[in-house]
Every structure is written in structure tokens, then in C-alpha cells.
Amino acid sequence: MSVLDLYERLSDLCVNVINADKSPFEAYAEIVKLEKTRKNIGSTLLDVLISVEGECTEATKPNFQKFALLLQNTIIPEDILRCELECFDALKQDVAKQLVRLKTRIYFKQSKFNLLREETEGYAKLITELIEAEQNASENYAELMKNRVLSIIGQFNLDPNRVTDIILECFEHCQKNKKFFINLLKKIQVVKEYLCAILGFKYSFYQGNNKKTPFSLYTLTAALIQNDMINTMKILAYMVPKTEAIKEGHRARMSNALERSSKAETIATAQMPMDARSIEEASGGGGAPTTTISFTTVAQIQENDDARLAEKFTEDYVLATNQKLGLACALLESGNWQQAQTLIDRLPEYYAVQSSARLCRALCKIVENALQPFYSKHWPKSVFADFLKRGDDDDDADEASAAGGGLLPIDSWHDLGKLASVLWYLGPRIAYRATTCVKVLRLLTVYFRGNEKDEKLSRIFTDVVSECILPSLTLAETNVALSEEMWQLVQLFPYTWRYWMYAKWNSETQRHPELNIMRGKIYGRTKYVLKRLSKETVRVMGRQLGKLCHVHPTTVLSYLLSQVQTFDNLIGPVVDGLRFLTSLEFDVLTYCIISQLADPSKQALKSTDATISPWLQALGTLVGSLYRRYPLELNGMLEYVQNQLKMCKSFDMLLLREIIQNMSWVESCTQATRDQLEALSGGEVLRQETSSATVPSFLGGSLARNGAKS
């Protein structure tokens, strides 16, 4: 009789008992006969009883219970029946607990490794072998090391799981021998899920309070991801912080940036100790000595105050606590842009690049490696190019490109246009790596100087200039050469486009709080310098103004113009102090002047006597002096005056008069009499006599100059 036939016959017997077709004793007698012909029918009978019990009703349940009582301890043990059948109160709490414990002990209890029989000498030998392997990193050596590791495991009864963990520890501390450890792990054939679990445990260890994740762990994880040994999304499940915590931290960073910018606009030097001040004698020799604070000290005070406010948002602290951001940085440093982009896209906009300058430099390096062949083709070779050697870190970028994780080399202008999608991630932070910024800048200069231009590409490259290249001056350290390089590109645009870029540069602080912080610092230092600007200090303070203009010219020049409109005695020192500006900054100065003139909140006429306002007169005098002394472009200013005349506003003709008078060195003589005009047609002696005796003072200077010229 087969098992199926036995199951069907036992089922028929049980159903007959439930339906009262047979008495429990008759059914029991038949089962006893079956047991003699077929042994061990208890297991099959128990399955039948469990399945049939559900068909019992209140009327038939007593028959089934009598039948089960006859079977206990004869065919089926009583303990098993009480655990499985409801008629024996199997669902009581104590019995259910016993059943759960039994199943847990059978199916889920782990067989722990006996650590007492392990020998520490084995781990010592294992670590020694792995560390010494750094000097023998050939591919065949990985196979040899695999055999040694397996021999050590067998000889010293080592736990294989712990051995894998030690290999990862040695890998973490010997990053230079990456290829060897990767080959060794592949030879050992470690399961991906198991590697991910070990790394997850390591990350979990550093998630407590006051614990900082080492960057070497990020580098280890990035190497395993790059070689497809673990899955990026699975390892992210073990990392902190979570999405909501990251968003909250991003909002806190933005609020902190506003506070830092506001704080930087005011420099408190009153509490400086006297030993930090320098004593200078008053000008003229007769005054008492005065105490001053050097500009370097003031800048250091400002930086110290800013550092205290940004203590919880420093790069080292963020990378040590934000494990997702640290992994993204390590992936970029290894050249794996595709995997890093996946992580960055899961973060708030610009969060990654705002938090870490190191991450920005790594991304800049990837961009630079991609455009280097195209740059070498279109830009003349530098005289220092032969001395520049290829770094070892570039091997990681080549390896990532070969594996499909990096950026492909650029071969055409259209490829450079596609690269703009990567530059949007950086924004003005491309300045953190000056070589990348300069190469992109020079390539764009070559493109706009060319005759053949694609409209779509031109629009993309213009956005790159306004979004990334031009604002990068603010985040770059004072760099006059970069400013001049940038002018070579910006001057190729019409002045209307240039002024639009300057306006965007000045107002683009919401998405890029670093620009706002730097603007606040420059504003505070400009106020400090301008308070000490005079005829005697114009050379020293003028240099400081020039350095500040190299960083954020719109902030410095706008403040200078606002002060000149209030204090006209500053016109001379300000004009002299602007000698250290670059060509780009002079162009920004013209934009700032037009912005001041077009300010709708200012009235050109006084409300009391309807005469020209002092601010407009002072600004006109300044404009005339600037155009006489420095090579400023006239197109924008003349176009502005023309547009004002079209709107029937003639007050700005004052600017045109000042420009003409100062650039031609001929002053107007609107109040001269007929006799004075006739005297001007005489000889040199007559003109001098007339200018000193009868001609008004405002005309005398002009006559004297004209006489000297003749």
C-alpha cells in the first residue's frame, strides 16, 4: 500500500467517525490492524487528524474526541496530540509558547563558533601576510595569497567570517595596494550580500554620539562599488542620516549662512587688546600718536568670528557624520561619476557641493580629465607643460572611465555642451580647482572668438559663463590673472549681456550661500578700508580696495559710489584708489554707475528748490574724473543717456557734460561776458591777465591750461 492510498483510507475512517457511520472503537480496531501491516503510520494519521478536525461541528466533536483519546499513547504520543489538536486545548498560552520555543530551537538557533579553540597566532600570521603583500602586488600573487589564507584558516581553526573582516581592515589601511586586495577578495569569492553586511556593521559602529566615520572606510566602500563587489543602494540602507534629517540639516545650513553673512558685514575691533594694535604718529607731525589695527588683523578677526558660527558646518565634521556624503566624495575621488551622481541626486539641490569643498575639487578633477585632450588641441601648449607630470591619482580616473563610471573624453564642441550638465552641479564652486576653471574659460574664449557658432551651443555656453565661470571669482582666492583671463572672454559679449551677467552675479545668493557669505565679508572689509581712505593713505588703502574688488567687485564699487554721493570730498581719494582695478572691474564699475543712476528711489531734483540733487552732482563729477583718468567703455553710458533723453529726461545730460569736459580738458564758459570771450582770442599774456583779473575762478583754470598747452 502506497503512502497516498494509506492517507486516503485513514481519511475515510476519520470522516466516518465524525459522521457517526462508524463508532470510534470500530475505527480504532481497523487502525490497529493497519499498524500491524504497515509500521509508523502515526505521522500520517496525525496529519489526517489535523486536517479533518476542522470539519467537526458541535454535534460531531464528541465522537472525534473519543476517537482521539483511544489513539493517544497507543498510536500517537499524548504530548504531540495536545500540541496539535484543539480538542486537547492545544491553543492554550502555555502550550503555544512551548511550541514556539521548540520551533525556534529547531529552525532558528545559530550554531555559534567556538572562539576558545581559535589561536591568536593565526590572526597575527594572517595580518602579517596581508601587510607584507603590499610589496608583491602582482596578479599571480593574489592566487598564492588565497592558498596561504586558506591554509592559515585550516591550521589555526580561524573563523572564515572574521578572516574576511580582517582582510577588509587591512584593505582599509593599505589603500595603495587596492588592486591586490580586490583580486584577493575575488579569488576567495566572497558573497556580495555578506560583504555589504560587514561594511554595514562597520558603518553602524560609527553612528553613535561623538563618533566620526574615518574617510578610509568611504574609500574602501568606493573601491568595492567600483569593482562591482557590493551594491550601492544596499549599502546606503546602513548609512545615516536619513532623508528627513538631511533636509533639516540643509535648512539649518541655509539659516546659518544668512547669519554668517549678516555678522560679517560688521567688524568689531573695539575689544581688541592693545598689544595687537600698532601705534602710528598722526600726519603733520604735530598730533598725538594714534593706535590702528592692520587690515590683516581685521580680516583675521572676521574669519575667527565666522569660524565660530560655522563650527557645526565645517567640512571635516560633515564628512565624518554624514556617511552618504562621505561615500559620494570617495566615489568622486576614485573617478566614479555615475555612482556618485546617483547619490548626489538623492540629496537636496547643491547640498553636496555646499557641504564639502573636497567633493567639489574631486568633481572638478573628473571634468578636467575629460576635457584635457580637447583643451590641448585648441589651446597653445604652455611653456611649463613639459614640467607638469601626470599624477598617480589619474590612474583611478582612467580605471573608472574604462569601467564605464567616469566621463568620456571630449572630442567636439557638442561634447563640451553636454559637459555643461555636470558643470551645473558645481556652479561657481568650479573655482575650488583653478586649473579646471581656467581650462573651461579658455575653451569658451576660443569658441566665442570663432566665426562659426551654433545658436543652441552659444546659449548653453552663455549660461555656463553666467552661472559658473563669472561668479567663481568670488570663491577664488584673490586672483588678478584669473580676472584678466575672464575679461578676455567677457569682452566678446555685447555690453547688454555683460551687464545682465553682472546683475545676476550680484543677486545670485539664494542658491549659493557661499557667495552671500563672501559678499558679507567683502562688504565689512570695504567699510573698514573706506573709513581710513584719505589723500595720505590712498596708496595703501587703494591696494586693499583693489584686492577686495578682485573677489566681489559689485559689492565694493556699489558701496564706494553710495559713499561718494553722500560725501563728495571722497571723490579724489576714491578716483586715485581705483588705479589697481583690472579691465573686468572697470567694466563692472560702469555697470554700477548706471545702476545707481537708474535707481527709481532717487530723485534727480531737490524737492525744496527744484535744483539738481547733490548725489547726482557728486556722481557726475566722479564719472567725469573716472573717464578722464581710466579707459572705461563709453557705449553703455552713452546708450543710457540716449534712452533717458528718449523718455524726456534731460537730467543725465550732466553726466555727458562732465565726461566731455574732463576728457577734452575744455571747460564750458556759459557765464562768461563778451569782453572775456574777446580776451580769449588774444595772445598768451592777454589770456593770462584776463584769467587772473577778470575771468571767474571756474574759467581761470581752463584758460591757464589752454595757455600752457599753446
Side-chain angles (χ1 to χ4, degrees):
M1 182 182 296
S2 63
V3 177
L4 183 60
D5 295 337
L6 178 63
Y7 187 86
E8 290 179 354
R9 185 170 181 180
L10 292 176
S11 299
D12 292 338
L13 286 175
C14 293
V15 171
N16 291 333
V17 171
I18 293 174
N19 296 331
D21 294 336
K22 283 188 178 182
S23 65
F25 296 99
E26 293 176 353
Y28 174 73
E30 292 187 16
I31 290 175
V32 172
K33 292 180 181 179
L34 286 174
E35 186 182 17
K36 294 179 180 179
T37 59
R38 186 179 182 87
K39 297 182 179 180
N40 300 326
I41 66 171
S43 177
T44 306
L45 180 59
L46 180 62
D47 294 337
V48 172
L49 291 175
I50 294 173
S51 61
V52 172
E53 186 181 15
E55 301 178 4
C56 294
T57 61
E58 293 295 334
T60 60
K61 190 173 182 179
N63 292 334
F64 182 79
Q65 190 171 6
K66 290 180 182 179
F67 180 61
L69 289 173
L70 294 174
L71 295 175
Q72 73 177 12
N73 293 330
T74 56
I75 306 299
I76 303 174
E78 181 181 359
D79 295 339
I80 297 178
L81 286 176
R82 290 187 177 277
C83 290
E84 299 293 343
L85 299 181
E86 293 183 6
C87 60
F88 288 96
D89 297 331
L91 297 181
K92 286 186 177 180
Q93 187 175 4
D94 53 346
V95 179
K97 286 183 179 180
Q98 292 179 3
L99 181 61
V100 170
R101 290 173 182 173
L102 177 63
K103 291 182 178 180
T104 302
R105 186 168 59 253
I106 295 174
Y107 298 109
F108 300 102
K109 185 177 180 180
Q110 297 180 357
S111 55
K112 295 183 179 180
F113 195 82
N114 185 9
L115 298 179
L116 295 178
R117 69 180 183 181
E118 291 184 334
E119 299 183 23
T120 56
E121 182 184 357
Y123 289 119
K125 289 183 177 295
L126 175 65
I127 295 173
T128 303
E129 290 286 349
L130 294 174
I131 296 299
E132 289 181 352
E134 184 176 357
Q135 301 176 357
N136 302 284
S138 61
E139 296 182 1
N140 296 330
Y141 191 76
E143 181 68 27
L144 177 62
M145 181 56 65
K146 169 196 170 183
N147 297 330
R148 290 184 182 179
V149 170
L150 295 179
S151 300
I152 292 174
I153 292 174
Q155 181 178 357
F156 296 97
N157 291 325
L158 302 184
D159 181 9
N161 300 331
R162 179 60 180 155
V163 170
T164 305
D165 185 33
I166 289 178
I167 294 176
L168 293 178
E169 289 285 345
C170 295
F171 187 2
E172 181 180 349
H173 292 87
C174 300
Q175 298 286 342
K176 294 182 179 180
N177 204 15
K178 179 176 68 174
K179 293 183 179 180
F180 163 73
F181 285 103
I182 292 295
N183 292 332
L184 178 60
L185 290 172
K186 289 181 178 179
K187 295 291 184 181
I188 297 177
Q189 298 180 352
V190 183
V191 182
K192 292 183 179 181
E193 289 74 11
Y194 180 65
L195 272 179
C196 190
I198 292 180
L199 290 175
F201 178 77
K202 292 179 180 292
Y203 280 108
S204 301
F205 175 77
Y206 295 107
Q207 292 174 5
N209 295 329
N210 300 324
K211 290 185 178 180
K212 297 182 179 180
T213 308
F215 198 84
S216 57
L217 183 58
Y218 300 141
T219 309
L220 168 64
T221 309
L224 295 177
I225 291 175
Q226 186 172 344
N227 289 273
D228 196 25
M229 301 190 70
I230 59 174
N231 185 273
T232 307
M233 294 297 106
K234 289 184 178 180
I235 194 62
L236 283 180
Y238 295 96
M239 294 183 176
V240 293
K242 301 303 180 184
T243 304
E244 290 301 325
I246 292 177
K247 292 181 179 179
E248 185 65 27
H250 184 56
R251 288 191 288 267
R253 174 181 289 276
M254 300 297 287
S255 301
N256 180 261
L258 292 176
E259 182 181 359
R260 291 168 61 187
S261 175
S262 177
K263 176 68 175 177
E265 293 180 359
T266 304
I267 302 177
T269 59
Q271 299 181 357
M272 280 289 298
M274 293 300 298
D275 55 358
R277 303 170 183 244
S278 59
I279 300 178
E280 296 180 356
E281 294 184 358
S283 60
T290 59
T291 58
T292 61
I293 302 176
S294 65
F295 182 79
T296 305
T297 305
V298 170
Q300 189 61 43
I301 293 173
Q302 191 183 51
E303 292 294 339
N304 293 339
D305 293 340
D306 182 71
R308 282 192 291 269
L309 290 176
E311 185 176 1
K312 293 184 179 180
F313 298 96
T314 58
E315 181 182 11
D316 294 337
Y317 179 80
V318 173
L319 288 179
T321 55
N322 192 327
Q323 296 175 346
K324 297 178 181 179
L325 185 64
L327 178 58
C329 182
L331 286 170
L332 288 176
E333 288 187 348
S334 64
N336 196 340
W337 161 243
Q338 292 184 0
Q339 295 290 344
Q341 184 183 16
T342 304
L343 295 182
I344 294 174
D345 289 341
R346 298 168 66 92
L347 302 174
E349 185 183 21
Y350 292 116
Y351 173 81
V353 291
Q354 289 174 8
S355 303
S356 174
R358 181 175 181 175
L359 183 144
C360 296
R361 287 190 290 269
L363 182 54
C364 287
K365 187 174 182 180
I366 294 176
V367 173
E368 184 177 351
N369 291 334
L371 58 83
Q372 180 60 40
F374 193 66
Y375 172 79
S376 302
K377 178 181 177 182
H378 287 83
W379 192 262
K381 194 173 183 181
S382 172
V383 294
F384 300 103
D386 295 335
F387 299 97
L388 299 177
K389 296 183 179 180
R390 180 180 174 88
D392 296 335
D393 296 337
D394 294 338
D395 296 337
D396 294 335
D398 294 341
E399 183 179 350
S401 299
L407 293 175
L408 297 177
I410 295 174
D411 297 328
S412 63
W413 293 112
H414 289 279
D415 292 342
L416 184 61
K418 295 178 182 178
L419 188 66
S421 61
V422 182
L423 297 178
W424 300 142
Y425 284 88
L426 285 169
R429 299 163 196 85
I430 194 175
Y432 291 154
R433 187 176 174 89
T435 54
T436 305
C437 182
V438 170
K439 289 179 180 179
V440 175
L441 174 61
R442 288 177 175 176
L443 285 176
L444 295 180
T445 304
V446 171
Y447 174 80
F448 283 105
R449 281 178 179 172
N451 297 325
E452 298 181 0
K453 299 183 182 66
D454 183 81
E455 182 179 356
K456 183 178 179 181
L457 276 181
S458 299
R459 186 165 56 252
I460 292 175
F461 291 155
T462 303
D463 291 338
V464 170
V465 174
S466 62
E467 290 279 350
C468 304
I469 302 299
L470 191 59
S472 65
L473 270 178
T474 303
L475 299 182
E477 298 181 359
T478 303
N479 196 334
V480 182
L482 181 60
S483 179
E484 291 294 345
E485 285 273 2
M486 200 163 293
W487 174 245
Q488 299 300 319
L489 170 62
V490 174
Q491 68 177 349
L492 301 176
F493 294 94
Y495 76 92
T496 53
W497 289 24
R498 297 202 305 267
Y499 293 171
W500 166 73
M501 292 179 184
Y502 301 152
K504 192 173 183 180
W505 180 9
N506 190 37
S507 60
E508 192 68 36
T509 57
Q510 187 67 26
R511 292 189 303 165
H512 308 299
E514 301 96 325
L515 298 181
N516 195 25
I517 294 172
M518 187 58 67
R519 185 204 61 80
K521 292 180 180 180
I522 297 301
Y523 184 77
R525 296 174 189 178
T526 303
K527 291 196 299 182
Y528 176 84
V529 171
L530 200 59
K531 289 178 182 178
R532 289 150 182 82
L533 181 64
S534 62
K535 293 182 179 179
E536 293 77 14
T537 62
V538 65
R539 183 175 294 275
V540 177
M541 293 303 170
R543 287 194 179 94
Q544 301 299 338
L545 285 176
K547 292 179 181 179
L548 296 175
C549 283
H550 298 335
V551 179
H552 206 297
T554 52
T555 299
V556 179
L557 298 175
S558 297
Y559 183 74
L560 286 178
L561 293 176
S562 64
Q563 294 300 304
V564 165
Q565 296 170 44
T566 306
F567 308 101
D568 55 0
N569 60 337
L570 283 175
I571 294 177
V574 166
V575 172
D576 291 339
L578 295 180
R579 71 180 73 176
F580 301 100
L581 268 60
T582 62
S583 302
L584 175 65
E585 290 148 16
F586 277 124
D587 195 54
V588 175
L589 176 59
T590 305
Y591 157 75
C592 292
I593 292 173
I594 296 176
S595 299
Q596 294 286 336
L597 292 171
D599 189 356
S601 63
K602 296 181 179 180
Q603 298 295 330
L605 296 178
K606 292 182 181 179
S607 59
T608 56
D609 54 1
T611 58
I612 296 179
S613 298
W615 71 267
L616 185 56
Q617 293 179 354
L619 196 58
T621 305
L622 176 67
V623 169
S625 302
L626 289 174
Y627 276 92
R628 179 178 63 186
R629 184 163 182 177
Y630 302 112
L632 276 71
E633 184 177 326
L634 283 169
N635 294 344
M637 186 64 67
L638 296 179
E639 187 74 20
Y640 169 76
V641 175
Q642 179 183 353
N643 293 332
Q644 291 294 98
L645 291 176
K646 289 179 181 179
M647 293 186 293
C648 300
K649 296 181 180 180
S650 60
F651 305 113
D652 296 293
M653 289 292 292
L654 174 65
L655 299 175
L656 187 59
R657 187 186 70 181
E658 292 290 340
I659 292 173
I660 294 175
Q661 288 182 2
N662 285 275
M663 295 185 70
S664 63
W665 291 82
V666 176
E667 297 184 11
S668 62
C669 303
T670 56
Q671 299 179 1
T673 63
R674 182 179 181 84
D675 295 337
Q676 293 168 351
L677 292 176
E678 290 179 354
L680 293 177
S681 62
E684 180 179 353
V685 177
L686 180 59
R687 288 198 300 268
Q688 291 179 356
E689 291 292 336
T690 305
S691 63
S692 61
T694 60
V695 179
S697 59
F698 74 90
L699 188 59
S702 176
L703 296 176
R705 288 195 299 270
N706 293 334
K709 289 182 179 180
S710 62

